[in-house]
Amino acid sequence: MKQTFCVIFKKESSIIAVDSISCGPHCLMNVDLQTDATLQVDISDALSERDKVKFTVHTKSTLPNFKQNEFSVVRQHEEFIWLHDSFVENEEYAGYIIPPAPPRPDFDASREKLQKLGEGEGSMTKEEFTKMKQELEAEYLAIFKKTVAMHEVFLCRVAAHPVLRKDLNFHVFLEYNQDLSVRGKNKKEKLEDFFKNVVKSADGVLVAGVKDVDDFFEHEKTFLLEYHNRVKEASAKSDRKIRSHKNAADDINRIASTLYTLGTQDSTDLCKFFLKVSELFEKTRKIEARVAADEDLKLADLLKYYLRESQAAKDLLYRRGRALVDYENANKALDKARAKNKDVLQAETTQQVCCQKFEKISESAKQELIDFKTRRVAAFRKNLVELAELELKHAKGNLQLLQSCLGVLKGDT
Amino acid sequence: MAASSERSPPPFPDSEEPELLEDSDEGADAFTGTSISEMDSPSPDSTRPPKDIFNEPPEDIFSDPLSNINSEPQKKVDTKIPSPSSDEAVDLFSEPLDDDSEVMSSPEVQNPMPDLLNEPVEAPKSDVLGEPPVHKNAARQQDFFEDPPKGSNNSSSSVKKAVSAELFGDDEDEEDLFKETPKVVTKKPQPSGPPVDVFTEVKSDVKVKPQVKDDPTDLFTEEALTAPAQKPPASSSSSSRTNGVHSEEQDLFSEATVELSLDSPLNDRKKKDAVKPSLSAPAASVASSSSKAPSKTLEELEEEESEDKFDLNISVTNPEKVGDGMNAYMAYKVSTQTSLTMFRSKTFTVRRRFSDFLGLYEKLSEKHSQNGYIVPPPPEKSILGMTKVKVGKEDPSSAEFVERRRAALERYLQRVVSHPSLLQDPDVREFLEKEELPRAVSTQALSGAGFLKMLNKATDAVSKMTIKMNEQDVWFDEKIQDVENEEQHMRKLHVMVESLVNHRKELSGNTAVFAKSVAMLGSSEDNTALSRALSQLAEVEDRIEQLHQEQASNDFFTFSELLADYIRLLGAVKGCFDQRMKAWQRWQDAENMLQKKREAEAKLLWANKPDKLQQAKDEIAEWEAKVTQYEREFERISATVRKEVIRFDKEKARDFKRQIVKYLESLLNSQQQLIKYWEAFLPEAKAIA
């Protein structure tokens, strides 16, 4: 896949501001997607502005309900969330694992750092400044890439889903070339969401306590509960690990620049030696930083994705469990009604509806969970293989650098 | 009068007698240069013990140089001259003055010098020096001072003249020189009546010596023993200098060192055992020995370096906790392996505690740093770290602390012995060889000595600020700046490497935690192949954790500690520059004083006061001598510092290259391991289906 990144940093009154970043097509491979020529979605471009990111969503489709075969629209993060929420709220999709919504782009930390760098410009040497600036730009770019990738994954997952791809809202999202004018949730709605979540999780505990009649679901339930917690743990730990790895890489970078200044003090033999070592460290730190970045991309992001995906799967199980409880309650109500011979018809209809709902959910959920597992295994395989290959590549590169440098140094002394 | 005043504290000896001696040593200093700077090494405290034992005279010998350095001797001279001894002073100087240039370079003054160096015992050779013991034996100083001095001084100057003639005659042969001196002494006295007494006394003193040895005061006997050993070198050095032939100087010097190194350590050791409280005697004698060593190193630096390097191997091992609670300390095994003949055996081992290492440094720096030597500094005291070791049982941080200190001590000793002239120091050998060392007391951080040291440092810092040296030597100018910059960058680098160490440790810890959580994830994964792969990944991460940990300790021990060492060493280098600056300051002060004296003389001439004119002339002569002496001292210290810094730079380059290459190799090794681990993992990842 062709990737073109163009970063423009404009300096305004000695404060560095990130004006815009554009990002080429990028697809995160941590979800195994069926390749289907009938509907292909990607994010061809993205633009980072002060407080928002604009994604250009590019669609290629042969489906008859689209006016054109190929088109692009500009979407923002909020619109992605709207699409996700519309899926979640749709009763029709209760039996499916709703693809998790992409996380909110978070450039604040990175922006702040850049700002600080701009303020501290006077207090450091030119080399230090450019180095720091490069570091931060790289960091910013990495976050940006990740954000774009996460949003793309969401769309790809929806497009690949046999039912969700046909959703009207999705089609509107892809095709409507105006602002969808979705607004963020207001305070009242947020509060409602919060209570809903509290009720849901309390209910979830209740529902989870009910013994499932189906062994498959019973197993999936216990598995997902445990899996979710562990993937959460692993994700947090991998983040910390990668952060310290990045810190170490930064240290090497600083060591390299100090060695450089030490080496330029004089022109003695030792100074030349320092310069060579500095050069080496400069290169190795790049590799170290790449190692950290690749671990982040291949492992941490994978874990993070499956954290959200397993949450979605858990939600599915909750909906099914809820439906099961409803169904059982309806059965009881029907029994009662029959015994009293009162409202039997109404109870029967309710029971019928609940039964249908439960069966529908169970039927699709089973398939969804099996798919989830297949997808998960495939994604882990792909990413772990890639991770190992990248680690090997970097370690070998590092080794080569060290070997050649040692060769030169030993030749000198 | 003399008796009472002489007992007063050393810095300002204001009796006539010291003056007498003072005059002579100042001249002497001009030639032998070294003596004064060495002599000031014994601190005021240490000079006192000998005084008590010897009654007064020895004290003067010691205190004189001190007073010279301690500044404003000229004032004393002024006040003293009017006293009875003024005549003597005139006499003493008037004669040499005839020889004009010889005032400064004549051997006349040069004899007393060795004596000064070698303490009272040498007295017998020339009467000026013979006096002290004489006093003791005669026990009547007053008389001596009132009457015989005139005669004795007259004779002394004449004797000296004779001696100088002798010296010129046969400066190659030191033995002769010494044999001849007594002859001269016996010959000369005859013409002048009164001095005969003095000389007979001197002779008797020589004879008395054995008796003195029986004397309960150990110090004296010890000194009597040392003296003979030291005489030859001292005289050789002075004679060569009078000749002004530099090429000869080296040879003589190297001979001197050989002799010294054979003799002095033994004597020193004896002395130390005998008179622990007073450091003065060993310090002084060692000082004389070290004064000769430099000249040798200057010339033979190159060969020396290569020689010494390989046949001396020191390791510090087996740190062991001795004692309990707050009195506990760590003892280290110091093993030496050498083929150097100066050691008694080829391999030997001693146990030393940390304060012994510090004590060694104190001794070495006391003796050598003012000569412009870079004395390698030992690792810092760490009260916190040590308290942890003392209190805590077995926790990793204190184990790391001990290992760090052990390694630092080992490097410290290796640096000391790789220095050609420090290796020659008897204290170093004693440290390496001797079973038991007297406990070093002054190294305690909170002791009185520690406080004094702090005070000294503070005053040094102040004086450093006040001295404004206009640097003439471009090399020094640049080097001082370079060292300053280098230290700054090293510090910065050190901070960063430390931060790398910390981050690497953090990374290692986080990797371990991550490995655990991956293992957990693997155990809950229901796809068997994926579960297996995840637990494999956990294993890989576990190994990587180990790798990071090892790398962190490599970062620390091979890189960070190297920098810490060199930050300390650069501090020592700066100390050398400061010593040089102090010498320069001394020279400039003397120069200014001379200027003043000359002006005073001009005034006197103009005012037509012939009675004081002579005195003024004497003073000028004295200060001219001082200026020459200080200038030479400055030149000498400059040369030494320069050699030392060049040597240091060489060592530094070698150390850095070796250590960084070692460090890179450790990184290389890490990467190789990493490749192995991931290569083993790759098929596992591919096996997921």
Side-chain angles (χ1 to χ4, degrees), chain B residues 554-572:
Chain B
N554 276 326
D555 288 343
F556 183 74
F557 282 108
T558 40
F559 201 5
S560 172
E561 285 287 87
L562 171 77
L563 292 168
D565 277 4
Y566 270 91
I567 289 168
R568 275 201 299 271
L569 280 165
L570 285 171

Side-chain angles (χ1 to χ4, degrees), chain B residues 142-159:
Chain B
Q142 295 290 102
D143 291 355
F144 189 79
F145 266 97
E146 266 144 33
D147 304 319
K150 278 183 198 172
S152 75
N153 275 296
N154 285 333
S155 72
S156 77
S157 48
S158 56
V159 167

Side-chain angles (χ1 to χ4, degrees), chain A residues 23-233:
Chain A
C23 173
H26 183 93
C27 195
L28 197 78
M29 296 80 155
N30 57 6
V31 267
D32 187 41
L33 300 166
Q34 298 141 320
T35 38
D36 187 352
T38 52
L39 181 62
Q40 279 177 322
V41 186
D42 65 86
I43 294 177
S44 61
D45 217 350
L47 198 71
S48 164
E49 286 177 353
R50 269 182 190 283
D51 50 350
K52 59 194 169 193
V53 180
K54 284 182 174 165
F55 303 95
T56 308
V57 179
H58 171 252
T59 314
K60 245 183 178 173
S61 175
T62 52
L63 290 178
N65 42 357
F66 290 116
K67 286 185 197 103
Q68 282 162 299
N69 283 342
E70 199 171 348
F71 43 87
S72 290
V73 286
V74 173
R75 293 281 172 258
Q76 288 181 33
H77 175 72
E78 285 71 25
E79 291 162 319
F80 284 78
I81 299 300
W82 165 80
L83 182 62
H84 175 261
D85 288 349
S86 78
F87 290 148
V88 172
E89 279 154 22
N90 194 332
E91 278 289 312
E92 286 295 303
Y93 304 142
Y96 304 108
I97 297 174
I98 311 292
R104 216 190 140 63
D106 184 17
F107 297 117
D108 291 351
S110 183
R111 274 213 187 97
E112 214 169 88
K113 274 194 208 160
L114 268 175
Q115 202 126 348
K116 260 191 203 143
L117 176 73
E119 283 158 11
E121 193 183 340
S123 65
M124 51 183 114
T125 64
K126 211 180 162 193
E127 290 95 41
E128 279 175 327
F129 179 77
T130 31
K131 211 158 234 173
M132 290 272 280
K133 202 178 136 196
Q134 278 169 359
E135 256 172 55
L136 286 175
E137 283 169 358
E139 190 183 314
Y140 190 93
L141 194 65
I143 299 173
F144 186 74
K145 273 159 78 178
K146 266 167 80 167
T147 309
V148 173
M150 300 275 201
H151 285 77
E152 196 179 53
V153 163
F154 171 71
L155 293 182
C156 292
R157 272 273 282 125
V158 176
H161 198 277
V163 180
L164 296 179
R165 68 193 298 193
K166 293 174 191 134
D167 182 79
L168 190 66
N169 279 334
F170 183 50
H171 288 181
V172 170
F173 177 91
L174 291 178
E175 200 175 26
Y176 186 64
N177 60 2
Q178 303 285 303
D179 192 352
L180 290 174
S181 74
V182 291
R183 56 180 175 83
K185 285 173 179 166
N186 61 28
K187 266 188 187 154
K188 198 184 150 206
E189 281 167 329
K190 273 182 187 164
L191 204 67
E192 272 171 12
D193 271 2
F194 175 72
F195 281 120
K196 242 193 243 166
N197 274 329
V198 172
V199 171
K200 192 184 125 192
S201 46
D203 198 34
V205 174
L206 221 101
V207 169
V210 178
K211 178 93 180 85
D212 209 306
V213 281
D214 195 326
D215 277 350
F216 173 79
F217 284 108
E218 185 61 27
H219 171 78
E220 282 297 312
K221 194 167 71 187
T222 44
F223 163 72
L224 270 175
L225 266 176
E226 197 183 56
Y227 188 83
H228 178 72
N229 285 335
R230 295 202 168 155
V231 88
K232 195 175 180 177
E233 175 90 1

Side-chain angles (χ1 to χ4, degrees), chain B residues 26-256:
Chain B
E26 268 146 30
D29 296 340
F31 299 99
T32 43
T34 44
S35 66
I36 279 224
S37 54
E38 256 92 58
M39 287 306 277
D40 71 0
S41 66
S43 62
D45 306 333
S46 55
T47 48
R48 214 160 280 166
K51 171 186 108 186
D52 296 336
I53 296 156
F54 278 81
N55 303 330
E56 292 73 28
E59 178 218 348
D60 300 327
I61 293 165
F62 272 88
S63 57
D64 280 351
L66 270 176
S67 65
N68 289 343
I69 287 142
N70 279 354
S71 65
E72 300 149 283
Q74 72 288 356
K75 267 185 197 163
K76 277 171 255 153
V77 175
D78 287 343
T79 50
K80 287 170 219 155
I81 295 280
S83 70
S85 64
S86 63
D87 293 21
E88 302 150 33
V90 172
D91 283 343
L92 189 74
F93 272 99
S94 60
E95 276 188 82
L97 270 178
D98 302 342
D99 316 326
D100 41 32
S101 67
E102 267 181 82
V103 175
M104 280 166 275
S105 61
S106 87
E108 174 226 335
V109 224
Q110 152 216 334
N111 244 359
M113 196 293 306
D115 299 337
L116 268 168
L117 266 182
N118 296 309
E119 296 138 34
V121 208
E122 270 176 49
K125 263 171 280 152
S126 77
D127 35 347
V128 182
L129 285 145
E131 270 168 19
V134 169
H135 289 320
K136 216 183 73 190
N137 293 326
R140 281 180 67 245
Q141 293 180 339
Q142 295 290 102
D143 291 355
F144 189 79
F145 266 97
E146 266 144 33
D147 304 319
K150 278 183 198 172
S152 75
N153 275 296
N154 285 333
S155 72
S156 77
S157 48
S158 56
V159 167
K160 277 178 220 151
K161 271 209 138 184
V163 171
S164 75
E166 300 286 349
L167 277 169
F168 274 121
D170 44 20
D171 38 19
E172 297 116 278
D173 201 337
E174 307 133 32
E175 296 295 309
D176 287 0
L177 189 87
F178 277 95
K179 279 166 199 156
E180 268 165 288
T181 355
K183 278 178 220 159
V184 177
V185 171
T186 44
K187 264 182 249 159
K188 285 284 161 181
Q190 281 145 15
S192 53
V196 176
D197 294 334
V198 184
F199 278 105
T200 47
E201 297 267 14
V202 173
K203 279 177 202 158
S204 70
D205 179 47
V206 178
K207 284 169 206 155
V208 165
K209 261 195 215 161
Q211 292 160 15
V212 183
K213 273 180 196 162
D214 300 339
D215 208 291
T217 53
D218 292 332
L219 181 72
F220 196 78
T221 46
E222 291 300 337
E223 256 147 39
L225 280 172
T226 22
Q230 283 163 349
K231 270 178 217 161
S235 66
S236 75
S237 69
S238 53
S239 61
S240 67
R241 277 183 198 235
T242 34
N243 273 342
V245 185
H246 282 270
S247 56
E248 266 191 49
E249 202 173 308
Q250 300 163 225
D251 296 352
L252 282 165
F253 270 4
S254 53
E255 269 175 56

Side-chain angles (χ1 to χ4, degrees), chain A residues 204-382:
Chain A
V205 174
L206 221 101
V207 169
V210 178
K211 178 93 180 85
D212 209 306
V213 281
D214 195 326
D215 277 350
F216 173 79
F217 284 108
E218 185 61 27
H219 171 78
E220 282 297 312
K221 194 167 71 187
T222 44
F223 163 72
L224 270 175
L225 266 176
E226 197 183 56
Y227 188 83
H228 178 72
N229 285 335
R230 295 202 168 155
V231 88
K232 195 175 180 177
E233 175 90 1
S235 163
K237 300 298 184 242
S238 72
D239 273 356
R240 276 175 53 187
K241 179 184 107 126
I242 286 155
R243 207 177 313 128
S244 41
H245 206 143
K246 275 181 183 153
N247 283 337
D250 283 354
D251 288 333
I252 297 176
N253 189 20
R254 277 184 212 113
I255 289 169
S257 60
T258 318
L259 271 174
Y260 180 78
T261 38
L262 206 60
T264 46
Q265 286 294 302
D266 216 331
S267 56
T268 56
D269 215 24
L270 186 61
C271 286
K272 282 177 203 145
F273 181 82
F274 282 150
L275 285 181
K276 272 184 203 122
V277 177
S278 156
E279 201 185 315
L280 170 77
F281 280 175
E282 178 69 48
K283 284 176 190 154
T284 51
R285 79 97 197 170
K286 264 184 200 150
I287 292 185
E288 282 301 322
R290 284 305 304 272
V291 172
D294 284 335
E295 279 176 2
D296 195 16
L297 209 66
K298 296 295 167 200
L299 204 55
D301 283 355
L302 175 77
L303 292 171
K304 243 177 253 156
Y305 186 81
Y306 276 93
L307 172 65
R308 285 182 286 122
E309 183 94 33
S310 63
Q311 181 59 51
K314 263 173 78 188
D315 287 349
L316 168 65
L317 281 183
Y318 163 71
R319 287 193 296 268
R320 186 185 158 272
R322 184 75 255 171
L324 176 62
V325 172
D326 285 347
Y327 176 42
E328 277 169 0
N329 286 344
N331 272 341
K332 277 178 202 155
L334 182 61
D335 285 346
K336 244 185 217 166
R338 280 203 180 123
K340 286 181 186 165
N341 206 9
K342 206 171 114 192
D343 295 334
V344 177
L345 195 69
Q346 196 193 340
E348 254 173 11
T349 7
T350 320
Q351 192 258 1
Q352 210 69 38
V353 169
C354 282
C355 178
Q356 267 175 17
K357 190 184 170 191
F358 172 69
E359 263 156 18
K360 197 185 160 208
I361 288 177
S362 290
E363 191 195 319
S364 59
K366 199 162 190 168
Q367 192 51 49
E368 281 283 294
L369 286 170
I370 290 166
D371 283 354
F372 170 68
K373 190 171 165 181
T374 328
R375 255 199 333 268
R376 188 179 71 233
V377 171
F380 268 90
R381 180 184 191 274
K382 189 172 169 29

